[in-house]
Amino acid sequence: MALIDELKWRYATKKMNGQVVPQEKIDYILEAAKLAPSSSGLQPYQIFVVTNQDLKEKIRAVAFDQSQITDASHVLVFASWDGYSLEKISAVFDRTIAERGLPENAMDEYKQRLWGMYEPLGQEWHAIHAAKQAYISFGIAMVAAAEQKVDATPMEGFIPAEVDKLLGLNELGLKSAVILTLGYRDEANDWLVNLKKVRTPQSEFVTEIK
Ligand SMILES: Cc1cc2nc3c(=O)[nH]c(=O)nc-3n(C[C@H](O)[C@H](O)[C@H](O)COP(=O)(O)O)c2cc1C
């Protein structure tokens, strides 16, 4: 039941207190995020960890002035590939081949088949697909934070194109997908902290097909 208790403890923190999260907890959360599965193992995303206060201020300004951005200890920006290419796919499989000590051409057929599927779907589809993969990592990071008793705010409330500019993501072939702020709740000033967690009843959420 430990995990369920942690998930009940976590909430989308609305007010953080500025306290710094120890580096080992950040490392743990990032490691959990890295271990997320992704379609074909491509991991088409990266995480930018922002602790620079000036940069946090600038992000807050394009994130509907949400205070968690500047009161958080660390701001994680999940940035996903703006598109797939045979080169990018090959680079991932080359690493797998090298790390597993496989013959150089071991994944050629799979690689070609995958690119054959992806190429006609176009850049826009690629970017959406890559962002979906980033969200899996983001979800796991959120759970890891709860396990570490680190508060977090999942955030889509920002202007992605502006965050892309602030982090120079366009030049890197990346787009900001979603943000996770990490820090500690300001219990006395957070309007959400003591409100009941509301979810769809299990009977509506789960359909059993026997
Ligand atoms: C993808 C995503 C984007 C969200 N964006 C924001 C946001 O920009 N600001 C915010 O305060 N909360 C944001 N939330 C928090 C949700 O409103 C919150 O998770 C939901 O109401 C459930 O409440 P709980 O997380 O406290 O259990 C976001 C949550 C998710 C999963």
Side-chain angles (χ1 to χ4, degrees):
M1 283 304 278
L3 179 61
I4 298 296
D5 289 340
E6 281 146 10
L7 293 177
K8 286 180 178 168
W9 172 85
R10 72 144 293 282
Y11 73 112
T13 307
K14 301 297 175 190
K15 186 88 184 87
M16 297 216 178
N17 66 10
Q19 198 186 323
V20 174
V21 178
Q23 189 59 42
E24 63 268 21
K25 287 185 184 272
I26 298 294
D27 291 343
Y28 183 94
I29 293 163
L30 293 172
E31 174 76 4
K34 195 183 73 183
L35 288 169
S38 58
S39 186
S40 293
L42 291 180
Q43 289 182 274
Y45 49 83
Q46 294 177 33
I47 302 174
F48 290 77
V49 182
V50 180
T51 49
N52 179 284
Q53 206 59 25
D54 287 343
L55 185 53
K56 284 194 223 163
E57 296 282 357
K58 288 179 184 149
I59 296 174
R60 176 172 170 170
V62 294
F64 306 100
D65 197 33
Q66 296 192 73
S67 69
Q68 305 96 314
I69 303 268
T70 45
D71 295 341
S73 165
H74 293 67
V75 175
L76 310 189
V77 180
F78 289 73
S80 44
W81 294 0
D82 62 3
Y84 294 128
S85 68
L86 186 56
E87 274 162 5
K88 286 185 192 171
I89 290 173
S90 295
V92 174
F93 288 137
D94 287 350
R95 186 190 303 125
T96 305
I97 286 166
E99 292 201 15
R100 290 184 177 161
L102 298 170
E104 221 172 275
N105 60 356
M107 297 185 88
D108 281 0
E109 204 190 307
Y110 184 71
K111 200 160 67 181
Q112 289 297 343
R113 196 150 30 92
L114 191 63
W115 181 236
M117 254 171 17
Y118 283 177
E119 190 182 16
L121 295 167
Q123 187 95 356
E124 199 182 335
W125 185 93
H126 295 174
I128 293 168
H129 189 257
K132 285 183 189 172
Q133 312 311 308
Y135 271 77
I136 300 170
S137 176
F138 159 80
I140 290 179
M142 208 170 355
V143 174
E147 194 217 13
Q148 293 296 303
K149 287 283 184 285
V150 171
D151 283 301
T153 320
M155 277 193 183
E156 277 178 335
F158 62 93
I159 302 167
E162 296 299 328
V163 171
D164 294 354
K165 271 192 231 156
L166 288 171
L167 298 181
L169 298 183
N170 294 327
E171 294 77 2
L172 301 171
L174 296 168
K175 284 173 181 291
S176 50
V178 66
I179 288 177
L180 189 67
T181 69
L182 298 173
Y184 294 102
R185 61 188 71 178
D186 177 352
E187 198 123 22
N189 295 302
D190 192 328
W191 60 265
L192 188 57
V193 67
N194 291 317
L195 292 186
K196 186 179 185 291
K197 194 178 277 298
V198 180
R199 290 295 189 265
T200 309
Q202 200 79 349
S203 59
E204 288 173 34
F205 184 63
V206 177
T207 301
E208 287 192 29
I209 302 170
K210 291 184 177 165

